[in-house]
Every structure is written in C-alpha cells, then in structure tokens.
Amino acid sequence: MMNKFQILPFLLVFFCSCLDVKASKSRASVVPVRLQCEYLENPTGIDVPQPRLGWILEATDKTGFGQGQTAYRILVSSTEKLLQKENGDIWDSGWIDSDETQQIQYGGVALQSDRAYHWKVQVKDENGVVSAWSEPAFWTTGLFDASEWQASWIGSGELYNTAAPENNISDPWFRKTVELSEKPRKATLFVASVGYHELYVNGERIGDEVLAPAVTDHTKRARYVAYDIADQLKRGTNVIALWLGTSWSIFPPYILQKDRPLTPIVIAQGAIYREEFPSGEAKPMAVVATDASWITHPSPNRLLGKWDFAKMGGEIWDARKELPQWNTLACDESDWNPAIEYPTTLALSAQLVAGNRLFDEITPVAIEARPDGSYRVDMGVNFAGWTEIKVSGQPGDTIRFQYSERQQDDMTFNLHSAYVVGASGIGTFRNRFNYSSGRWITIRGLKSKPAIQDIKGWMVRTDFQNASQFECSDSLQNWIYDRIRWTFENLSLGGYIVDCPQRERMGYGGDAHATSETGMFNYQLGAFYTKWMQDWRDVQGTEPMVGNMLDPNHARKAVTSGRIWNNGVLPHTAPTYWGGGGPAWGGIVVTLPWFMYQHHGDKQVLETNFHLISEWLGFLQSHTKDNLLQRFGGQWDFLGDWLWPNATAEGMNNDKPETLCLNNAYYVFNLRTAAKIARVLGKVAEADQWEQQASASAQAVHTRYFNAGDDSYADGSMANLAAALLAEIPPPAVRERVMQRLEREILEVRKGHIHTGITGGALLFKLLREAGRNDLIYSMVSQTTYPSWGYMKENWATSIWEMWEKDLPGHSLLHSSYLYPGAWYIDGLAGIKRDPEVPGFRRFIVRPPLATATDVTWARATFHSPQGLIGSYWSREDGRLKLEISVPPNSVAVLELLPSEQIDRTSYGSMKEIPGRDGFLRYELQPGHYRLTSQPAGL
C-alpha cells in the first residue's frame, strides 16, 4: 500500500499528465507542413551522415494573428508502423525549446547505408499548445563509405575517336539476369554513370527522370541516383538493363584520367531484401553489381556531333537496328558481348538535387510546306528540350530534323537529329540522350506534310519547385517577368545554370550574378545551389580553359588550357571548366554562398565553402600590386563587363581602364562579402584581414580611377559607377555625388535605357535594388527601343537574348545574360525584401515602390519563403495606398512607408509602429493577414 509520501508525487504526475492531454487536445495555432530533408521532399539515396531537416508552419486559423513556434519535437523511426505508434527508435529529440524550423541537424543514432528513415514533427505554438503531428515524411540513405561499393565500372568496347569529324560510337545497352527465390520487399539500385543513363527492370523503365544523372565534373566525381526497383522484381528470373548515352563521356574538358575510357561507363549496385524494413544486421537475399558478367550490345541510338562548343548536335535513331525485347527475358543474347571492366577512380557521391524532367508540353502553331520539299515547323516559342515527331517513308529512308532559333535560318549552332526508317515504314523520333534548342524545326525527307498532332515538344529542366507568382498593371513588366522565368527554366537542365542550351551548355560564374538572386526569389533552389557549389569546389585548382581541348598539343599544356595547379585558381565555369571570364566569374564562389545564407539562413553553406573562398581570395591576392589587382592568365581570363550595347563593335576583351577598374571594384566587393562570411563564422582573423585589404584596395581604386571633375570612375560607364558604389569604393564625402552621377548616366546620357552587359548589369541592379531606386530600374525596364527588354518584345522574342542586338551572327536568343530584373519584380515592384540583419526571412521588409517611382498602379506577388507563404498586394487610387500583406507564422514583417502614406493601424493589435529609418515610417506586423489603407493627406 502506498503511504502519503508516495501518493503525493503520483498525484502530481497524474495531474500534470492530464494537463498535457488537455493541451494536446486544444487546437494549436499552427501545424508543421512541407517537411524537407537537405532542401528536398522525401529524398532518396542521400549520403549526408547528419542531414538537415526543416518544415514550415501553417496557421490553423487563417483569420488569426501572432502564430509562432516555441518548441519542437522530432521523431525518426526505422519503420512506418513505429512512426505511427510515436516510437522514435532512431531519434526522439524530445521537446526542444526553440523557434527554429529550418537547418535543424539530425541528432539520432548513426545512420546506416541503404535504409529508409521515417520522420514527423510536432511543435508547440506561441501559447505552448501542442500541435498535431505533421504528415509523415521520409528519406533513404545511399552508401556512406567508398568501401561499400563492390561493383565495377563497366563499358563497351566501342571507343570514341577524338580525330573523327563526328561521334563514332553507339549508345550501348547492358543487361544482367538475376535469380530470386521469392519476390523481394526492398531493393534499391544505386546507379552512377559517365554519360547519361536509363534503367529498366523486366522491360519496364524505372522512374521518370530524364538525362540522368546531374552534370558533374567527371575528372573528379560521379553522382549516383537511387532507384527503387522492388515492385518490378519478381520470383524467378529477372532482367536488369541499363542504357547509356554518350553525351558527357566524351566532353573534351573531362578527358584527363587515362583509366577512364572515352566511352560511356556505368557502375550500379543494389542489395535485394525479403524484408521491407531490414534491420541493420539483415543479410540481402541477392546483390546486383555491375561487373564483367554483364553483357552489352549497341543500341539503335547514336549521338550526332561531338559534345563540344557549337557541336552539341543531336541524335540519330536507326529503326533497322531495333531489338524490341532487348531488356526482357525474351531477348536473344547470342550476339551480345561481355562488358569490359574499367577501374576508374572517380569519387562516388549521391545526387543531392532533383533530377531533370519534362515540363510544358508544346505543340506547333504552324507547319509550312516549302518548295524544296522540306517542312518548316513553328513551335511558337524558343525552348530547350525534347521533341517527338511521327515519321513515315521507305525502309532505309533518313528523315532529318534541323533546329533553329531564327526564322531566317534552317539551323542554328549545328543542332540536328535524324531518324532512319525501319521495315514497318513508320516510326517516331523522340529524344533520349540529347536535347535541342530553338523555335523552328526544318524536316527533310518526309514525303507528305506532317499534321500538327504528329509533333510535340517539352521543356526539360531540373525539377525544382516554384516559389513565386507576380503580376502588375503594366503589361510590359508582366511580359518581361514571364520571359525571364521561361528563360531561366530553360537554362537549368542538369543541376546548374548554363549560359545557353544550344552553343555551349557551360556553367559560367559571371552569368550566375545575373541569375542567382532571380532564381532564389522565384524558385526553391536550396539543393540546386548547394550542388552547384560542390561543383565549384571540385574544379578549383585547375586553370581556365579555352581553345581546342582535343588538340594534344594544346590541352593541359598551353596557357588557359586546363593545367592543374592545385592552388586557389578557378576556371570560369563549373562543373564544365571551359570558357572565358574574369574575376567576377570565379568570384561567384564568394557571392553565391552569401546570397544563400541571406536567403535561407544556411550557415553550413558558408562553412563548407570557406576554404574554397579563402583559397580564391589568396589566388587573387597573389596577382595584386600596390593593392590593385593586375591582369592575370591568358587572353580570356580578365574580362570585365560583357556584352553591353554595341560591345562587339567596341571590343570587350582588353586592358582598358574600364576593364581594370571594374575588376578591381569587384575584387573589393568579393573581399567585403568574404569578411561578412568570416564574421558570421566567428573567424575574426580572416574577417579583419579581408576588411583591411578591402579598405586599402578601395582607396587605391579611388585614387587611380576616380574622375573628380565628373564624379565617375574610369570611362564613366554605368557598369563602373555601379561596381564602385556596390563595393563601397567612393569615400563617404563623395558617395552621394557618385550616385547622382549614375542617375544622370541612366536618365540623361542614356535617356532612361540600360547600357551595361552581363556582369555590369547584375551589379547595377543589385546596387539599385539595395538602394531602393525603383525609379531608375523602372526607367530601364519600361523602354521599348534599343537597348531594352521591351525592344526584344517589339521584335517578337519569346526568350531573353544573349546580346542587346537582335541579329548579330553567332549569338544566342536564349541566354542567361540579362535575367537580373527577375529578382526585382519580387523584392522591388512587389516590395518583398530580405532584412539584411536577419537571414532566412524570419524577419522581412515590405516596402511598396514610391508613388513617383513607377507608372504601375498595382502589383501582386506571393513568395514561398523559407518561413512560409508571404503575400503582398498594393494599389494606388485617388491618392490612397491600399495594401494586403500576408505574414507567415513564426516570422515578422516590417512595413516601410513614407509619412505621406501613413496608414490606420487601429484595427490590428498585432501591429505596432517602431522607430523610423531613412525617412520611412516603420510598422512591425506579427503573423497574419492584413488589409490596410493610407489616410488622406492632412488627416
């Protein structure tokens, strides 16, 4: 029997538990949704030992205010059933008093390779009420240790001849039969390839990802994709088949290791289990691994071109060589050959970015029969992706397809594909291991006009999620915003942003200044940019490369030929190496991690890339004299601004003062940004060093290049004025005069038009966005004459061009050059701005443009921030400003308005006025939805 001293604590525990039950049954103000692991929803095959988890909070009462999180509890279980029972056998975090919802590092038992982990989260709201559990999520692991790979790299005996005018090897098939005593319940096959791949099990294609894996530096690494094949396996004999595409396996900058043959190769491994959730000690019933026991056969598909600059070509399908049962048990293997093992030493790592998929099915708007017997197809829009075309003819006939960006040209950039008709006389061409880019298709060899329904196209891109929507009263701005997004999406194939999808397909760092913040404000790109930063770490230590990398007298021997220095040098593109650039190209390794930190609150991206940043700045420092950066490298290594109006006629690649000034200003910008990164990481010595160097170099730049009589720098160009101001080159006493000089350059000298290129324009828009000069940006984006985005629209553009000029030979009409307004539509015209003092949108600013800044009368945007959905709608009518603002749970908005547009806030107790700044009234808005109206003047 209990005595009174035993009963008292028992009653206390019982009473407290009753309170907990009551609290849990009360409706919390929030519930966690959109669970992510390493920025991805339910990722498979990850190789991060302590992955980062995150969620956003959704209000349960959409009319409420002030919702937030005060604590969280994460459960991670080895099975779905255990998770349902709230048994976190892998990790039960317990209640953690924290309002953090992102970048939360897993803290449970050590994860095992090739296992599934199921998780959910529960939170306490601002009043301590416990929320409902989130919907369950999961992640699966890849292989954590290189020693776990028992498979071998295999390929065919066909080798690429670098001297041949065109690719000479077929895209090979591989197959292997596997006997199973029973149907398995778990089987994951990890596949890495040099060159694209597709996986089949018992004749069925696995997954809907295309052009896999993501593009990777194949002098260092191969990324593997995890495929769940349990459902397709059966008791008895099974066929596992792989189809490889030549593609990146013959890319000239990747020709380095002698142990990697010039042919597509693959490594695949997977354990097959009876159990759905095998224990850590469970033994697989079978293991599939590539080795010399696999067999190979040429497929009917072959790459056209050489996968090189302006030689990306296309592909040819020869239907006479089809083997419909090549990936099934019914296949006759008599003329198949043993695969060859190639002991390649590439590092293997998981593909921690979404794969490529098909989007936006496109149908022709017109088909013209031409006098020469060809047919001209107008797809209505310039796009990068796949086409599918039904054909007919006599057996052996070759039907040819030419792709063009220009109405007057049958083919641009040598993009072409073909189909050889088989015995049936009919067939369908469809891309598999390459893609085209253009608006028009010229078809030759058909005997009759194709029907509209015989032709389809799809954009192919990385499968990231959308983040924003925007529209306003100005139709031109809506067009520019829409075409910038379309262009960005068409450049995002393969887990990095290319300059153009038809001529080069290179990941230029300089162009990334024009695209990265546009990307972040419009798409959810945390995983995408994390992957691209790994690419930049991989390429560091190799000098830039231009020229013919298939020339043995040039490659890895001459200046700017990819010599390996193993220091801080960076090529101008990643993961692709090839191409010209300057300090702003490599300098993206400083600015992009900082943008990611500001946007996502991701401190790890700063830590992971700090050595890369330090080595890069050390390389630049070694090329300074008297605190000024000197020209270094070869002819194509010191570009400044690039492709401003009339640049090709004036000349861009030179040692003129404007180039030296801009590159030195950018160097200072890099130093100041790196110092901020070091401060965040607590690296005081590096922060002090870079700040001191930035100050010294800024003074040197100002002394050398400032024009006192004109308040300008170097040639007085917009690019140099913007770069100097952004880098804080002008001393405080003259800064405002330099800003006024930039204003005159835009409004008076250039009559409201932009006059910069890729890098200069990106720096200009970054400066003006931060300075709140929506008036100057609007002046440039509202023009319709050359040079301008409106000029492109007037000339029937459907994508953003490489140059401001329309018809200069050799330039691309789908390019990364001028995408920098894309961020401004969200953080400028819609007014949703990051707070520079609080990363990750835990606190953000809403500042509609001033009434005198634009001719826009209303603008509306939604933005899926790392904290949840932010909404901003403003309109002006009859002298009044009307606002609708949505503040997501667990965040705070600061509304900034001029005193002339003071609002009535008496209806909202969750809103208060705080001290003003820079001439603005400031109001702090707790989570919730607000409808506000300014008071008439004089009241």
Side-chain angles (χ1 to χ4, degrees):
M1 177 180 291
M2 291 184 181
N3 61 38
K4 61 180 180 181
F5 298 105
Q6 291 173 313
I7 293 173
L8 187 60
F10 172 79
L11 291 175
L12 185 61
V13 170
F14 177 78
F15 177 71
C16 291
S17 65
C18 288
L19 287 178
D20 284 344
V21 169
K22 183 178 180 181
S24 65
K25 290 183 178 179
S26 301
R27 191 185 191 199
S29 66
V30 293
V31 63
V33 297
R34 280 181 49 200
L35 276 60
Q36 291 188 330
C37 174
E38 290 297 322
Y39 289 113
L40 300 169
E41 294 184 8
N42 300 329
T44 57
I46 72 172
D47 58 356
V48 181
Q50 292 182 286
R52 294 168 297 168
L53 308 177
W55 57 90
I56 66 167
L57 299 175
E58 188 173 275
T60 55
D61 179 1
K62 306 301 182 186
T63 64
F65 294 90
Q67 306 94 331
Q69 173 187 299
T70 57
Y72 66 81
R73 181 187 176 200
I74 297 171
L75 290 184
V76 182
S77 306
S78 56
T79 71
E80 292 174 293
K81 287 185 178 179
L82 286 174
L83 189 67
Q84 289 171 0
K85 296 177 180 179
E86 299 180 15
N87 182 349
D89 62 320
I90 302 300
W91 185 35
D92 183 342
S93 71
W95 281 108
I96 306 295
D97 292 332
S98 172
D99 59 0
E100 295 295 333
T101 62
Q102 300 292 329
Q103 314 296 327
I104 296 170
Q105 193 171 61
Y106 166 77
V109 301
L111 301 178
Q112 292 185 300
S113 295
D114 192 19
R115 291 292 184 270
Y117 295 94
H118 304 267
W119 72 289
K120 61 184 179 181
V121 62
Q122 190 177 40
V123 303
K124 293 181 181 178
D125 70 9
E126 70 280 5
N127 295 314
V129 179
V130 177
S131 76
W133 285 103
S134 70
E135 291 297 316
F138 70 87
W139 76 85
T140 70
T141 53
L143 302 180
F144 286 114
D145 196 288
S147 65
E148 296 179 90
W149 282 93
Q150 302 302 309
S152 301
W153 284 96
I154 60 172
S156 75
E158 287 191 5
L159 298 178
Y160 174 59
N161 178 6
T162 59
E166 190 156 294
N167 169 53
N168 60 293
I169 61 176
S170 301
D171 294 333
W173 285 326
F174 298 87
R175 57 181 277 141
K176 172 77 174 180
T177 56
V178 179
E179 295 290 336
L180 298 177
S181 58
E182 59 184 277
K183 181 174 176 58
R185 299 187 67 193
K186 179 190 180 322
T188 301
L189 191 67
F190 303 109
V191 182
S193 58
V194 179
Y196 295 130
H197 72 257
E198 290 181 352
L199 171 66
Y200 297 80
V201 175
N202 294 325
E204 182 179 340
R205 169 86 192 281
I206 306 299
D208 60 356
E209 183 176 341
V210 301
L211 300 177
V215 181
T216 301
D217 172 9
H218 288 314
T219 70
K220 305 271 179 61
R221 179 185 308 279
R223 290 185 171 97
Y224 60 83
V225 182
Y227 296 95
D228 182 354
I229 62 172
D231 287 348
Q232 287 74 29
L233 293 171
K234 62 183 181 179
R235 179 184 176 184
T237 306
N238 295 267
V239 176
I240 297 179
L242 287 159
W243 193 347
L244 302 189
T246 303
S247 59
W248 295 99
S249 72
I250 63 169
F251 182 51
Y254 292 164
I255 299 175
L256 179 61
Q257 289 96 340
K258 293 182 180 179
D259 65 345
R260 184 175 75 76
L262 295 186
T263 192
I265 58 175
V266 64
I267 187 170
Q269 180 173 309
I272 302 173
Y273 292 92
R274 293 179 175 85
E275 309 93 340
E276 183 178 3
F277 303 108
S279 66
E281 298 74 30
K283 301 296 183 184
M285 59 191 291
V287 174
V288 176
T290 49
D291 57 22
S293 67
W294 287 58
I295 55 177
T296 184
H297 190 284
S299 81
N301 208 58
R302 176 169 59 85
L303 168 72
L304 294 177
K306 292 176 72 73
W307 210 267
D308 198 0
F309 180 89
K311 298 175 183 176
M312 290 296 177
E315 44 198 330
I316 181 170
W317 179 268
D318 191 339
R320 299 170 301 177
K321 300 177 181 180
E322 291 178 351
L323 299 176
Q325 297 174 322
W326 74 273
N327 51 15
T328 71
L329 275 175
C331 177
D332 178 1
E333 298 179 344
S334 59
D335 62 345
W336 287 59
N337 297 310
I340 299 174
E341 291 188 9
Y342 293 104
T344 302
T345 57
L346 295 175
L348 288 165
S349 60
Q351 177 176 294
L352 296 177
V353 66
N356 301 308
R357 287 182 172 80
L358 305 181
F359 291 86
D360 297 285
E361 183 175 304
I362 301 163
T363 54
V365 297
I367 300 176
E368 174 193 2
R370 304 198 300 186
D372 65 356
S374 66
Y375 300 95
R376 180 74 157 177
V377 181
D378 182 359
M379 299 299 287
V381 65
N382 196 12
F383 74 102
W386 282 12
T387 52
E388 179 181 280
I389 305 172
K390 293 180 180 179
V391 299
S392 61
Q394 296 298 313
D397 285 355
T398 299
I399 315 299
R400 302 188 184 278
F401 316 102
Q402 297 173 307
Y403 301 89
S404 178
E405 294 187 314
R406 300 175 184 278
Q407 190 170 12
Q408 67 270 29
D409 298 327
D410 284 354
M411 181 170 62
T412 50
F413 303 110
N414 201 33
L415 296 182
H416 63 289
S417 287
Y419 186 96
V420 181
V421 180
S424 70
I426 59 174
T428 302
F429 169 81
R430 182 183 170 100
N431 286 106
R432 175 164 272 108
F433 295 127
N434 203 344
Y435 61 96
S436 60
S437 182
R439 173 174 172 173
W440 288 274
I441 308 171
T442 299
I443 305 176
R444 301 183 185 277
L446 282 180
K447 301 298 191 296
S448 59
K449 182 180 179 179
I452 291 283
Q453 60 267 28
D454 291 340
I455 302 171
K456 297 178 182 178
W458 297 268
M459 174 175 58
V460 179
R461 67 163 174 87
T462 305
D463 187 18
F464 44 70
Q465 295 183 14
N466 183 51
S468 295
Q469 291 181 313
F470 169 85
E471 62 176 336
C472 71
S473 61
D474 186 328
S475 61
L476 175 57
Q477 304 316 309
N478 292 334
W479 182 90
I480 296 172
Y481 177 74
D482 182 68
R483 290 304 88 191
I484 284 175
R485 282 176 54 101
W486 176 256
T487 303
F488 183 95
E489 292 177 15
N490 278 271
L491 300 176
S492 68
L493 194 158
Y496 70 116
I497 299 297
V498 301
D499 60 325
C500 55
Q502 66 301 84
R503 186 184 67 214
E504 299 183 44
R505 304 181 184 177
M506 308 295 176
Y508 282 95
D511 298 42
H513 289 285
T515 62
S516 55
E517 288 195 286
T518 283
M520 289 179 193
F521 273 103
N522 286 282
Y523 305 97
Q524 297 178 35
L525 295 176
F528 184 93
Y529 283 136
T530 299
K531 177 267 180 189
W532 200 10
M533 286 309 304
Q534 184 181 56
D535 294 333
W536 284 102
R537 295 195 300 276
D538 281 350
V539 301
Q540 188 169 48
T542 298
E543 74 167 341
M545 60 179 73
V546 294
N548 183 7
M549 292 299 292
L550 295 177
D551 179 358
N553 296 316
H554 170 75
R556 316 285 178 181
K557 296 176 183 177
V559 175
T560 321
S561 68
R563 293 172 297 175
I564 299 172
W565 292 350
N566 292 319
N567 61 4
V569 69
L570 283 164
H572 305 305
T573 75
T576 45
Y577 287 103
W578 195 94
W585 277 247
I588 195 66
V589 304
V590 182
T591 53
L592 182 53
W594 181 246
F595 292 162
M596 290 182 67
Y597 171 71
Q598 290 180 306
H599 201 84
H600 296 282
D602 186 347
K603 191 174 178 180
Q604 183 172 296
V605 75
L606 306 182
E607 296 167 339
T608 304
N609 294 291
F610 191 78
H611 180 73
L612 165 67
I613 293 167
S614 181
E615 290 290 296
W616 165 247
L617 293 178
F619 170 77
L620 293 182
Q621 177 65 30
S622 70
H623 291 280
T624 61
K625 181 181 179 181
D626 298 329
N627 294 314
L628 289 173
L629 190 63
Q630 307 295 300
R631 184 181 182 109
F632 56 80
Q635 179 185 1
W636 288 93
D637 286 341
F638 207 71
L639 306 183
D641 195 12
W642 190 249
L643 298 178
W644 63 85
N646 202 41
T648 52
E650 296 174 16
M652 297 173 282
N653 187 4
N654 54 52
D655 293 323
K656 292 180 180 178
E658 60 263 28
T659 300
L660 291 164
C661 180
L662 187 134
N663 284 339
N664 270 280
Y666 183 83
Y667 172 49
V668 175
F669 178 59
N670 251 189
L671 286 166
R672 295 198 193 280
T673 304
K676 294 175 185 175
I677 291 171
R679 292 281 179 219
V680 170
L681 297 178
K683 297 181 181 293
V684 178
E686 290 91 339
D688 289 345
Q689 174 192 344
W690 292 333
E691 286 171 355
Q692 290 166 9
Q693 183 60 60
S695 296
S697 293
Q699 183 176 351
V701 172
H702 184 74
T703 300
R704 175 71 64 87
Y705 297 107
F706 183 63
N707 304 311
D710 187 44
D711 293 324
S712 69
Y713 286 87
D715 60 343
S717 63
M718 281 186 205
N720 272 298
L721 286 161
L725 286 163
L726 189 62
E728 301 175 51
I729 301 292
V734 300
R735 180 176 177 83
E736 183 56 34
R737 300 207 310 268
V738 176
M739 189 70 185
Q740 291 170 358
R741 175 62 181 83
L742 174 61
E743 181 178 341
R744 291 199 305 275
E745 182 68 21
I746 295 171
L747 298 180
E748 298 175 18
V749 177
R750 302 299 175 182
K751 297 180 173 56
H753 290 73
I754 191 168
H755 200 87
T756 60
I758 299 174
T759 41
L763 299 177
L764 173 66
F765 268 61
K766 177 69 172 173
L767 169 75
L768 297 179
R769 284 169 46 223
E770 291 190 348
R773 293 304 303 266
N774 297 305
D775 57 330
L776 298 181
I777 293 178
Y778 186 73
S779 173
M780 291 183 282
V781 297
S782 62
Q783 302 299 323
T784 58
T785 55
Y786 170 84
S788 68
W789 292 270
Y791 176 75
M792 298 182 195
K793 181 177 185 292
E794 292 296 310
N795 284 273
W796 307 104
T798 60
S799 54
I800 304 301
W801 303 341
E802 177 181 13
M803 301 182 186
W804 295 113
E805 294 78 19
K806 179 184 178 183
D807 282 320
L808 287 180
H811 92 277
S812 153
L813 295 181
L814 199 167
H815 214 91
S816 58
S817 299
Y818 312 123
L819 304 191
Y820 30 80
W824 174 74
Y825 287 106
I826 305 302
D827 80 348
L829 204 47
I832 302 171
K833 305 176 75 67
R834 291 188 296 233
D835 187 325
E837 299 174 1
V838 183
F841 286 90
R842 290 298 306 276
R843 182 182 177 95
F844 61 93
I845 296 167
V846 176
R847 187 197 301 159
L850 305 185
T852 56
T854 75
D855 294 333
V856 176
T857 57
W858 62 265
R860 176 186 291 112
T862 57
F863 168 55
H864 286 277
S865 79
Q867 296 302 317
L869 185 65
I870 298 171
S872 171
Y873 168 71
W874 64 263
S875 65
R876 286 189 175 94
E877 187 176 357
D878 298 328
R880 284 196 172 196
L881 171 66
K882 293 183 179 181
L883 293 162
E884 285 192 35
I885 301 170
S886 292
V887 183
N890 219 46
S891 63
V892 174
V894 175
L895 174 62
E896 298 186 343
L897 300 171
L898 287 181
S900 59
E901 293 187 318
Q902 181 176 353
I903 56 170
D904 178 7
R905 58 180 177 82
T906 55
S907 300
Y908 296 101
S910 55
M911 179 178 177
K912 66 179 181 180
E913 189 167 353
I914 59 176
R917 182 186 297 174
D918 300 327
F920 288 100
L921 297 174
R922 301 170 78 228
Y923 306 87
E924 187 176 86
L925 283 63
Q926 296 299 316
H929 187 78
Y930 298 81
R931 289 182 174 88
L932 305 166
T933 304
S934 66
Q935 298 176 357
L939 293 183

